[in-house]
Amino acid sequence: MDELNLYNIAYKHLFNCIHFGLYPTGSSLPTIPELCRTFNVSSATIHSALRLLQEENYVSLSQGRSAIVTYDINEEECREKYRIYSYATKDALLDLCNTMLLIWPEAMLQGLKLCSDKDLKKLDEIFERMSPYNEYPYFEFFLHILKSLENPLFLNLYQSTNFFGHSTIMHLGDNAYIYGYMTYLKREAAQILSLRRASDYVQLKDLLVRLYQRHIEGVQRYHDSLLPPDHPVEPIPYEWNYFSERPLVNFNLAMKLLRQIYSSFGNQEYLPSFTSLAKQYSVPLITVRRAIKILSDIGIVETIPGKGTRVMVGLDNPAPISSFTTPNFKKALLQYLQSVQIILVICKDVALSVFPALADSSIQSAISWLQNILISKDYYMTFGICFGLLNEKAQSPALKQILGGLMYFQYLGYPLNDMKPYAFRFDSRSTTVLLKSLQEKDAELFAAELQHLALEVFKAGKEKLTAGGIHEAETIALPVIL
């Protein structure tokens, strides 16, 4: 995960906590070690966030002490600002909570399955620090569980969603409710550890679902307690800001061009001119040149003097695996594999939720695609078609935001289909089963087979990256899918 991104997450969270009065004037922020554990970052990253807060006159820093809030807080003004902010984010936050109910329990379950004895001992230590007066150990507890998946992209998604209005319940103003809620969390954390040690994953999943439902109840309770603002407020949507905060603009453009190539261009066709692409994507000409160079290096396109840039996808001269080891593309391929792991963890619950709402026209379109795949034998396209169907037809804005981000990373994996010397070893089985599930509108069959196919995609991608010398792929854990 980029340090710039981590720094921004920490800075924005602390800024909001101060701005909305969670840390009054003269109070201390959490210690550097506490913040490092909360955000899963180095002390240097936290120091960078704190220095910016100091430059903006929000805190004062001194050697060996926690940062002290210096922002002159008017409590009534803070409450009013947060009330307006809460109304602006209300719909998006409740929608996000309902989306995370599809993601959070299964993600935590998979993390718990992968926890080692050392991890469980660490969770015991965090558990002992839990109290009704400090929310940070609770966040650290669940973050440490998720870390077992060895997936920075998953941690980024978790932090991005968790900090979008995370302080809502703490602003409730009902101290008795907050004390009871935090006490409940600690009791359930003890039960989580007990069930994990007993390997009772069925009850563990049920508990995790109930736990998140209780969180949603708290968020709803807070919003129900609010008085309406005096004037209309502009809604604030949830955004997964991973892409906008990454500094590799040329690489982001390369990903967008990959998506355009695979959706709109055939073999031997020519891309628009560099000038046209610069205008289309509102970027400098040099950014286009660098993005095309990335695609050229991996065998997706070739530049022909006097003619332009020709698409090379699917030809008989795919790029060798050794071409994929430049630092930027190596990083991107790891993020592709991380995104597949996330999809593998969440796709079954997401599919069961979205499938009943699919329109007949959408199902028929997917059926036609799969029938064509059976004829062409391009079986590797099956996964993208079916997961893309969920992304396209998700009703929740937050779910569309998250699935869209994951699909964005999927285009990075397309070159792996033609990479020498290992071809993706897919056959007609999953395509046939998914086709049958769509024809019969069988949500259970669709969800189960999509997860099975995601598992195969993940294993094949991990094998290829490892064979190509990208050994960091070995640490990305294979979830325990039952």
Side-chain angles (χ1 to χ4, degrees):
M1 202 190 304
D2 295 331
E3 283 295 300
L4 176 64
N5 185 270
L6 294 165
Y7 152 80
N8 279 341
I9 289 175
Y11 164 76
K12 289 176 181 177
H13 168 70
L14 294 172
F15 174 89
N16 285 335
C17 285
I18 295 170
H19 206 247
F20 295 130
L22 274 180
Y23 296 114
T25 307
S27 65
S28 299
L29 296 186
T31 65
I32 298 292
E34 285 177 325
L35 291 173
C36 289
R37 290 193 297 264
T38 296
F39 295 100
N40 189 41
V41 297
S42 67
S43 59
T45 300
I46 293 298
H47 279 297
S48 296
L50 293 176
R51 277 195 295 270
L52 182 54
L53 289 171
Q54 182 181 44
E55 290 171 8
E56 296 175 344
N57 298 316
Y58 281 95
V59 302
S60 66
L61 303 177
S62 58
Q63 187 70 29
R65 294 185 58 192
S66 297
I68 303 297
V69 176
T70 55
Y71 179 62
D72 188 13
I73 294 173
N74 178 304
E75 290 189 15
E76 184 176 345
E77 182 181 327
C78 278
R79 283 195 295 270
E80 179 63 15
K81 285 181 178 179
Y82 195 75
R83 182 166 67 97
I84 294 172
Y85 175 79
S86 296
Y87 262 90
T89 59
K90 176 182 178 180
D91 291 342
L93 178 57
L94 291 172
D95 173 63
L96 177 62
C97 286
N98 288 325
T99 290
M100 290 306 291
L101 185 57
L102 300 174
I103 295 173
W104 190 88
E106 186 63 28
M108 290 299 155
L109 180 66
Q110 291 299 327
L112 285 162
K113 288 179 178 179
L114 291 167
C115 277
S116 64
D117 291 341
K118 182 179 179 181
D119 290 323
L120 293 175
K121 185 176 180 180
K122 176 66 175 178
L123 291 173
D124 287 334
E125 182 268 321
I126 299 172
F127 173 81
E128 292 301 322
R129 290 192 274 108
M130 290 181 177
S131 81
Y133 309 104
N134 183 2
E135 76 268 31
Y136 282 98
Y138 297 90
F139 179 77
E140 184 187 349
F141 182 84
F142 293 109
L143 185 68
H144 191 80
I145 291 172
L146 195 61
K147 285 169 67 176
S148 299
L149 292 167
E150 299 286 352
N151 188 334
L153 188 62
F154 221 152
L155 294 179
N156 177 275
L157 174 61
Y158 174 67
Q159 290 179 317
S160 172
T161 55
N162 198 76
F163 288 132
F164 184 77
H166 97 284
S167 52
T168 294
I169 295 176
M170 303 306 292
H171 267 282
L172 187 58
D174 184 340
N175 292 331
Y177 177 85
I178 294 171
Y179 183 92
Y181 176 69
M182 302 291 273
T183 302
Y184 162 79
L185 282 182
K186 182 165 185 176
R187 184 174 67 249
E188 295 303 283
Q191 184 68 1
I192 285 171
L193 291 172
S194 175
L195 290 172
R196 166 58 183 83
R197 287 191 164 95
S199 298
D200 189 344
Y201 297 121
V202 174
Q203 286 199 58
L204 190 51
K205 177 68 176 287
D206 290 342
L207 185 155
L208 290 165
V209 170
R210 292 196 307 272
L211 192 61
Y212 203 82
Q213 288 172 334
R214 178 70 178 268
H215 168 73
I216 295 175
E217 290 172 8
V219 173
Q220 185 67 64
R221 180 187 179 98
Y222 168 74
H223 284 292
D224 289 345
S225 73
L226 286 175
L227 294 173
D230 298 329
H231 305 285
V233 296
E234 188 72 21
I236 298 176
Y238 164 72
E239 294 181 354
W240 186 11
N241 290 322
Y242 189 79
F243 307 105
S244 62
E245 295 180 3
R246 293 180 67 235
L248 301 175
V249 179
N250 57 316
F251 203 82
N252 285 336
L253 178 58
M255 287 197 285
K256 292 178 181 178
L257 290 174
L258 264 177
R259 177 162 54 181
Q260 184 178 354
I261 287 169
Y262 279 102
S263 62
S264 305
F265 288 89
N267 294 324
Q268 303 294 315
E269 290 188 21
Y270 284 84
L271 296 181
S273 68
F274 286 6
T275 302
S276 297
L277 290 173
K279 183 176 181 180
Q280 178 182 344
Y281 289 101
S282 301
V283 296
L285 194 60
I286 187 62
T287 300
V288 175
R289 295 185 185 278
R290 290 170 177 169
I292 293 296
K293 178 64 165 59
I294 291 172
L295 299 181
S296 177
D297 287 345
I298 61 175
I300 298 297
V301 300
E302 66 173 350
T303 300
I304 301 178
K307 291 189 176 182
T309 305
R310 185 171 65 180
V311 172
M312 300 285 288
V313 175
L315 298 184
D316 294 329
N317 57 341
I321 201 166
S322 58
S323 297
F324 288 62
T325 55
T326 58
N328 283 348
F329 205 76
K330 174 181 174 180
K331 180 177 182 179
L333 284 174
L334 285 169
Q335 291 170 339
Y336 157 75
L337 190 62
Q338 292 161 8
S339 73
V340 178
Q341 188 206 54
I342 298 175
I343 292 172
L344 172 57
V345 169
I346 74 174
C347 70
K348 188 172 184 179
D349 287 343
V350 169
L352 289 172
S353 172
V354 174
F355 194 93
L358 293 177
D360 288 343
S361 58
S362 299
I363 292 175
Q364 287 303 316
S365 176
I367 286 173
S368 296
W369 270 104
L370 294 182
Q371 288 172 335
N372 289 332
I373 287 172
L374 287 173
I375 294 170
S376 67
K377 301 186 187 313
D378 293 329
Y379 302 121
Y380 65 86
M381 295 179 61
T382 300
F383 179 71
I385 295 299
C386 292
F387 187 76
L389 178 65
L390 300 179
N391 172 42
E392 181 183 349
K393 299 306 176 183
Q395 300 298 307
S396 157
L399 185 57
K400 286 186 72 70
Q401 174 82 201
I402 292 169
L403 297 185
L406 294 172
M407 279 297 295
Y408 192 63
F409 280 112
Q410 291 306 292
Y411 290 96
L412 286 171
Y414 278 20
L416 293 173
N417 298 310
D418 300 317
M419 187 192 300
K420 295 177 181 178
Y422 300 101
F424 271 165
R425 299 176 301 280
F426 297 139
D427 56 29
S428 62
R429 178 192 175 278
S430 287
T431 308
T432 302
V433 173
L434 287 165
L435 177 60
K436 179 175 183 289
S437 71
L438 290 169
Q439 290 171 330
E440 298 178 359
K441 297 184 179 179
D442 187 334
E444 291 282 351
L445 180 61
F446 180 87
E449 189 58 33
L450 186 62
Q451 187 181 55
H452 170 78
L453 184 54
L455 178 62
E456 295 304 311
V457 171
F458 177 81
K459 290 193 295 188
K462 184 172 181 177
E463 178 184 344
K464 286 199 172 192
L465 296 191
T466 303
I470 304 179
H471 299 297
E472 294 87 342
E474 297 176 16
T475 66
I476 304 174
L478 177 66
V480 184
I481 303 297
L482 302 179

